[in-house]
Amino acid sequence: RYTTLCFTEQRRIEMEQLVKAKDAATALGMGIGSLYRLARTGKISGVYSVGPKLSGLRFDLEEIRLSLRRPVKLEEEAS
């Protein structure tokens, strides 16, 4: 579900652009629970597993904002 980061130089630079759940939720104007729910269900991208046991999550705000802007598929009205 989540992208796993390895610690190469390029990834270290990318890690600096990632934020914790509380900061991401605040920046996006939503609750932490909502953010975790969207991540768990795969409705947003830009969620990365981090840490020695890969149990932590970090969020890329740009990727999440793009995910949230995707058009919603509306069901056709029954005739």
Side-chain angles (χ1 to χ4, degrees):
R1 265 185 268 201
Y2 310 120
T3 304
T4 303
L5 292 178
C6 58
F7 292 98
T8 63
E9 183 65 22
Q10 180 181 1
R11 288 293 188 195
R12 186 188 63 75
I13 293 168
E14 290 174 8
M15 280 281 296
E16 293 173 0
Q17 298 174 8
L18 302 178
V19 297
K20 294 181 178 182
K22 181 179 178 183
D23 299 326
T26 300
L28 296 166
M30 66 175 65
I32 294 174
S34 297
L35 181 64
Y36 279 124
R37 184 173 44 257
L38 290 171
R40 186 179 61 248
T41 59
K43 294 189 179 185
I44 57 173
S45 58
V47 183
Y48 298 90
S49 297
V50 296
K53 296 183 181 180
L54 300 176
S55 59
L57 293 179
R58 294 295 181 268
F59 300 85
D60 183 324
L61 291 176
E62 287 183 37
E63 285 186 51
I64 293 171
R65 285 186 177 117
L66 288 173
S67 297
L68 293 173
R69 289 185 186 161
R70 284 184 289 199
V72 177
K73 295 180 182 178
L74 300 175
E75 294 182 34
E76 293 183 8
E77 293 182 17
S79 301

